[in-house]
Amino acid sequence: MYEGPSFSQKYENYCNRRRRKKRMRRLACEFVLLLSVIIAIVFLSDRLSPSEVWATPEKDSEEMTFEDIVGSQPEEEPVSRRSQKKERASLDNMTPVVFIDAGHGGSDGGCLKGDIIEKDINLSIAKLVKDKLTDAGFRVIMSRNNDTYVTKEDRVKEANAAKADIYVSIHQNFSDESSVKGMEVWYDGTDTRRDSRRLALLVSHQTAKSTQALEREVRGDADFHVTGSTTMPACLIETGFLSNKEERENLASQEYQDQLAAGIAQGITYFFYPKTLYLTFDDGPSEENTLRVLEVLRKRNIKATFFLVGENVERHPEIARKIAAEGHTIGIHCYSHGYKDLYESAESYMADFERARQAVYRVTGVDAHIFRFPGGSINQYNQKVYAEIIREMTKKGYTYYDWNASLEDAVKEPDSAQLIANGVQTTLGRNKVIMLAHDVVYNTGTILDELLDSLPEYEIKPLSEDVEPIQFSEEA
């Protein structure tokens, strides 16, 4: 999880700039060409009669035409070609560079069991990963392309010199106990400047998903040269145990190796091109529970959205101000959460909303223009009035946001593990997710860290008026 412009956003901005430059160059070229033709006509008209200027005479071998004049000039590389070269160079700089390290090699075979040698499996998987990433538009550098020995120091030097964007090392595991199985991913957790943890989580989650292998712990205590001395985010994946008969047979098969490669490649792809999740919290602020949520968000440098309840804002003004001061988006939920009174009529809803809006503005200075209906825009309490409310609120310039994923934490004594499962499962792998949670729920704050670790393929963003809303009424 991270905040700030992602690689995909930088790439999109670059493409927009390139399109604008290309359009301006085309217009400039058309203008210069038109001006040249006009000058040539004027130049020739001084020497020829009008009929000779506009006629199409036969070319005389001793006569110099306008085309001959232009053609006789020293050839120069066209501006468009030079521009294309510059654009290609710029695009190359934007292309993610991935360093794939096939562990061991040559005289260093790694672990082995029978005729199955680790170095061979590592290289086979690495080549498959390279093919998949290359097809997806990445630039891939391999530590080795054949059965040669490369020191770990030289591998790291090459990756650092090439200024690779990430480093992924592929290995196999071994245990004295043949029953031990599963895959592990390691990273250097002592270096918080690099985003190695997110890379490790993505590679682990996506590989487990593609292979159905047992996903062992993602470990931040790696003491490997390749993860500790690289300057870019780095991780090392142990794809399975050669000491386990079932896994050894899988690892030796081309089909399973391809599944492993697909998972590793997908994890790398999500690292550079994440999906988007808008994390939203309803019903706050709560003194104890909201502070816990804010602490997790601050530690991860994540901005979320809080739909506040007016009376809670008045009860805990310092917490509401803290939400605003830390850069989170504030929306209006309601003033009082009594469904019956709130949805008695469109007028009663509008009065409640305005009271909440004024309370939020007085305390935080935020004039909120986004809101969320208590219970969602369509619920069992507002069937008769929701359409009228939506019309009136839209006329006033307000936008409402429902959700398409939920922790389902608005229940009595929610189970922590179930909340995480709800959050992950209800995303359904969508590219755009608005997730509902409640910062007044104790367990929501306690599981938030683990929930976010379970969704590393998503970049967390706050809602704004520019974000296209998800609305139940449009789906009904």
Side-chain angles (χ1 to χ4, degrees):
M1 300 299 167
Y2 58 91
E3 176 73 10
S6 65
F7 184 91
S8 56
Q9 290 172 314
K10 293 178 182 177
Y11 180 78
E12 182 180 355
N13 291 336
Y14 161 77
C15 290
N16 289 334
R17 291 196 302 272
R18 187 177 68 172
R19 282 192 291 269
R20 287 195 297 270
K21 289 179 180 178
K22 187 174 181 181
R23 201 159 47 241
M24 292 300 295
R25 281 197 298 270
R26 187 175 66 250
L27 291 173
C29 288
E30 290 174 354
F31 176 76
V32 171
L33 180 60
L34 178 61
L35 185 61
S36 299
V37 171
I38 293 172
I39 292 172
I41 291 172
V42 173
F43 175 79
L44 291 174
S45 66
D46 289 339
R47 291 160 177 76
L48 300 173
S49 66
S51 61
E52 291 174 315
V53 171
W54 300 113
T56 312
E58 293 184 2
K59 183 174 179 181
D60 191 291
S61 60
E62 296 180 358
E63 199 174 18
M64 185 76 74
T65 66
F66 176 67
E67 288 79 8
D68 293 327
I69 294 172
V70 175
S72 66
Q73 301 302 314
E75 288 194 8
E76 187 176 306
E77 185 179 28
V79 174
S80 60
R81 192 176 302 164
R82 293 199 300 272
S83 299
Q84 288 172 0
K85 286 184 177 180
K86 288 181 180 179
E87 288 179 3
R88 281 197 297 270
S90 181
L91 186 58
D92 286 343
N93 290 333
M94 293 295 295
T95 301
V97 179
V98 180
F99 194 94
I100 299 297
D101 173 25
H104 306 284
S107 59
D108 178 13
C111 58
L112 61 97
K113 184 71 173 181
D115 59 350
I116 307 298
I117 307 175
E118 179 186 353
K119 65 175 182 177
D120 298 333
I121 296 177
N122 294 342
L123 182 58
S124 180
I125 296 171
K127 286 182 175 180
L128 290 169
V129 173
K130 177 185 178 182
D131 290 343
K132 294 180 186 300
L133 290 177
T134 301
D135 289 344
F138 292 88
R139 188 168 144 238
V140 181
I141 302 174
M142 297 276 285
S143 63
R144 63 185 181 96
N145 289 290
N146 47 41
D147 187 17
T148 56
Y149 174 71
V150 182
T151 67
K152 57 183 181 291
E153 291 80 10
D154 285 342
R155 298 171 196 244
V156 169
K157 285 180 182 177
E158 184 181 3
N160 290 343
K163 297 182 179 179
D165 293 299
I166 61 169
Y167 187 111
V168 177
S169 189
I170 299 173
H171 287 259
Q172 311 305 308
N173 221 331
F174 201 90
S175 173
D176 291 335
E177 297 185 19
S178 60
S179 61
V180 177
K181 63 179 181 178
M183 57 163 223
E184 293 178 338
V185 181
W186 300 67
Y187 71 99
D188 179 10
T190 64
D191 185 356
T192 56
R193 296 170 301 173
R194 298 180 291 162
D195 205 3
S196 296
R197 176 175 173 77
R198 179 170 169 266
L199 175 62
L201 287 168
L202 282 167
V203 169
S204 181
H205 291 355
Q206 295 303 315
T207 305
K209 183 177 179 180
S210 66
T211 61
Q212 301 302 307
L214 173 66
E215 186 178 10
R216 295 166 65 88
E217 184 181 4
V218 174
R219 302 189 58 167
D221 57 341
D223 188 22
F224 309 129
H225 186 74
V226 295
T227 54
S229 299
T230 40
T231 57
M232 69 289 301
C235 70
L236 183 149
I237 179 171
E238 304 267 13
T239 63
F241 282 80
L242 293 183
S243 50
N244 182 281
K245 184 177 184 297
E246 179 186 358
E247 286 200 338
R248 183 168 64 251
E249 292 174 351
N250 282 337
L251 291 166
S253 75
Q254 182 71 27
E255 180 182 0
Y256 191 76
Q257 289 178 10
D258 193 69
Q259 292 173 356
L260 284 166
I264 295 171
Q266 185 62 71
I268 290 171
T269 300
Y270 281 144
F271 183 86
F272 292 102
Y273 304 109
K275 298 181 280 189
T276 303
L277 187 149
Y278 298 94
L279 184 60
T280 69
F281 296 94
D282 286 6
D283 293 358
S286 155
E287 185 170 12
E288 178 185 5
N289 298 319
T290 301
L291 286 175
R292 184 180 297 106
V293 168
L294 288 174
E295 182 181 357
V296 173
L297 299 177
R298 184 170 55 253
K299 180 182 67 175
R300 289 176 171 263
N301 194 26
I302 286 174
K303 306 303 179 190
T305 302
F306 291 79
F307 290 101
L308 303 181
V309 172
E311 60 183 7
N312 287 341
V313 169
E314 293 174 341
R315 191 175 293 120
H316 305 294
E318 69 287 352
I319 308 300
R321 283 192 286 267
K322 191 175 184 65
I323 292 171
E326 295 189 359
H328 303 288
T329 294
I330 288 179
I332 305 300
H333 198 38
C334 58
Y335 182 82
S336 177
H337 219 293
Y339 285 92
K340 185 177 180 180
D341 293 337
L342 182 66
Y343 292 124
E344 182 178 357
S345 66
E347 290 75 16
S348 63
Y349 178 88
M350 302 285 285
D352 181 276
F353 175 89
E354 183 58 24
R355 188 178 180 188
R357 189 194 67 79
Q358 291 182 13
V360 169
Y361 182 73
R362 281 196 307 272
V363 171
T364 68
V366 175
D367 187 11
H369 281 80
I370 68 171
F371 71 102
R372 172 170 286 159
F373 287 87
S377 60
I378 299 178
N379 60 70
Q380 61 179 325
Y381 299 96
N382 69 1
Q383 291 292 312
K384 296 180 180 180
V385 296
Y386 78 83
E388 184 180 355
I389 294 173
I390 290 171
R391 276 196 308 272
E392 293 303 315
M393 292 296 286
T394 301
K395 285 180 184 178
K396 292 179 177 292
Y398 297 110
T399 305
Y400 69 95
Y401 289 81
D402 288 315
W403 58 89
N404 60 357
S406 173
L407 297 192
E408 300 177 17
D409 53 352
V411 296
K412 187 177 181 180
E413 298 181 358
D415 176 73
S416 296
Q418 188 59 51
L419 294 184
I420 297 171
N422 291 342
V424 173
Q425 292 168 9
T426 57
T427 64
L428 298 178
R430 298 181 182 95
N431 288 324
K432 174 186 173 181
V433 171
I434 296 181
M435 181 171 288
L436 171 65
H438 294 80
D439 55 311
V440 297
V441 176
Y442 177 83
N443 281 5
T444 296
T446 63
I447 59 91
L448 186 56
D449 248 326
E450 190 174 350
L451 172 71
L452 296 175
D453 279 348
S454 301
L455 296 165
E457 67 271 32
Y458 285 95
E459 180 179 7
I460 311 299
K461 294 182 179 181
L463 288 174
S464 72
E465 294 176 68
D466 297 328
V467 176
E468 183 179 356
I470 288 172
Q471 300 175 335
F472 296 161
S473 62
E474 295 180 354
E475 301 170 0

